[in-house]
Amino acid sequence: MPSTHDGLIIGGGISGLALAHWLGLDANPGSWELWEASDRLGGTIGTDRTDGYSVDWGPNGFLDREPLTLQLVDEIGLRGMLEPANDQSEARFIVKNGRLHPVPFSPPAILTTGLLSPSEKLRIFAEPFIRARRDDSDESVFDFAARRIGRGAAETFVDPMVSGVYGGVAKELSLPSCFPIMREMEVEYGGLVRAMIAKMRQKKREQRASGVPKKKSGSAAGPGGRLTSFRSGLDVLVTRMGERFRPIIHLSRPVQRITRVGDSWQVTAAGCEPRHFSRVILACPTFAAARMLHEFDRELAVALDAIPYAPIVVVATGHKREDITHDLNGFGFLIPRTQRMRCLGSIWTSSIFAERAPSGHRQFRTMLGGAGDPSVLDLTDDQLWQTIRRELDPLLGIKANPVFTRIYRWQQGIPQYTLGHRERRAKIEQLAARHPGLSVVGNAFYGVGLNDCVKMAHRLAQVIQKTNAVPA
Ligand SMILES: Cc1cc2nc3c(=O)[nH]c(=O)nc-3n(C[C@H](O)[C@H](O)[C@H](O)COP(=O)(O)OP(=O)(O)OC[C@H]3O[C@@H](n4cnc5c(N)ncnc54)[C@H](O)[C@@H]3O)c2cc1C
């Protein structure tokens, strides 16, 4: 009888690595292993360093509001290398009629913004008087926003925000799954403005009681947190975790099949003999997990496969400062679908993190595609490039070709929490629960941000530790 190992984590993205951390597998690995299909760790996290540019392939940071992520960073000894977004990158812009407009963050700014018509502005101010919808049925992000702040503001602010975070379409994505806090604000306080006022009052009370002024929340990252990374790029996090878990990591080991044999899980990867584990954690995209489980539990495989993913293309460009007219004081801009442009938005990377471009140069990262434009994957490098030039150059006053370009195509880049996501997730959890020792973790369930992945991995580690690693 082949020996049975303690456990296997499948997937070496942030979810799998964070799980290894929370399980304490650096100090006490037992006979746990982590198998990763590709020849590197990190999944969508990666950084290229060339010609003085440091370019993130996918995510460029995390919001500093999640204590568990900060705890993880601390525990792996990286706290001193954290780099918060620059204060000068606080302003954000939205494109309308070929111009960049600052996002109005205050009532006076809403009154004067060129982004909305007078009636659209009035409609925003009516938000506190809109009756709350308290039933728990699903609602799209767009419908929620249109109902509370009006259609114009939903198209101008919420639609591009959803493209920016999820690469998704606001009319298709589920509000309670994507932005549960907004749903809570309506249910608990009766509306967004009422909730904000109540929260501000509570904060003041807490401040008065403790005597300690609270840190400003809502900053260069937008509301509720500051974008944070590491000085030379986000892959620092993955590299450090790779060092800590080196003894248990096996790269270039794509899992093909999982099945139950007696009391253990038999896992087969390309080019290896099948191995046996007491516990298996799927920390890979759901479409990959579905392929592994297809023969063993077709129903679970179908449920996993029902979570759609959107493609996203990141085009990073480096420019000489003197070739750009715009002052670039800000975070970047988003483009509402109503503007009929192909780019979703552009981040001014070197305004946010100064060391990402050599002195006298600037870096931008522009996103295209998303669920609303999957055919972007068919564009050649040259076509992508022409699109960016046509759409970005007039907005920023770019007068010459970039000196540096990198293109990253993510075919199934970001899971989409479309309407019905809660039911799809519950079904996966219910079907997986039939199999002792089999669990799922990752960005397809409770949030796509790095913080969400770290948090879900923490919750799962607690469950595993409670059941003492070996299922009954
Ligand atoms: C362009 C882009 C920009 C983003 N920007 C941000 C941002 O700024 N901030 C933020 O918080 N989040 C951002 N995100 C989201 C965030 O990056 C992801 O949600 C998160 O990194 C997902 O981590 P994960 O470990 O769950 O999955 P993944 O990173 O997808 O990792 C899964 C791993 O499983 C492996 N795998 C797949 N199949 C197999 C197999 N058969 N056997 C073994 N291993 C397998 C894969 O190779 C991969 O390494 C962005 C995402 C994208 C695509």
Side-chain angles (χ1 to χ4, degrees), residues 284-318:
C284 53
T286 46
F287 54 84
R291 284 198 293 266
M292 297 168 201
L293 289 166
H294 191 70
E295 284 170 40
F296 170 66
D297 183 343
R298 175 141 333 167
E299 207 184 350
L300 176 56
V302 169
L304 286 161
D305 226 5
I307 297 197
Y309 282 67
I312 193 110
V313 175
V314 178
V315 181
T317 48

Side-chain angles (χ1 to χ4, degrees), residues 10-15 35-37 42-45 58-61 253-255 283-285 288 292 312 314 410 413-414 442-443 448-450 453:
I10 301 174
I14 188 63
S15 297
W35 294 3
E36 162 55 45
T44 49
I45 301 174
N60 65 345
R253 195 169 283 189
V255 172
C284 53
M292 297 168 201
I312 193 110
V314 178
W410 299 102
I414 305 187
N443 64 354
V448 301
L450 301 176
C453 297

Side-chain angles (χ1 to χ4, degrees), residues 64-136:
D64 69 353
R65 66 181 177 203
E66 175 48 57
L68 284 171
T69 308
L70 298 174
Q71 183 186 329
L72 183 147
V73 166
D74 239 353
E75 289 175 358
I76 61 174
L78 289 180
R79 178 66 81 123
M81 289 173 76
L82 280 179
E83 185 183 23
N86 217 317
D87 278 341
Q88 277 87 52
S89 65
E90 201 145 330
R92 286 159 172 252
F93 298 86
I94 287 185
V95 174
K96 185 172 181 188
N97 299 336
R99 245 171 36 79
L100 296 180
H101 297 256
V103 175
F105 284 119
S106 65
I110 292 174
L111 281 175
T112 54
T113 183
L115 286 166
L116 298 172
S117 69
S119 62
E120 288 168 340
K121 292 176 188 179
L122 275 178
R123 179 61 182 79
I124 290 192
F125 288 106
E127 197 275 338
F129 308 104
I130 304 294
R131 218 150 41 103
R133 176 176 172 273
R134 294 186 201 272
D135 80 81
D136 195 35

Side-chain angles (χ1 to χ4, degrees), residues 67 93 96 101 124 159 163 167 179 210 235 283 319 390 417 453:
F93 298 86
K96 185 172 181 188
H101 297 256
I124 290 192
D159 177 69
S163 309
F179 301 104
S210 70
D235 72 338
H319 300 259
R390 194 176 58 244
Y417 299 178
C453 297

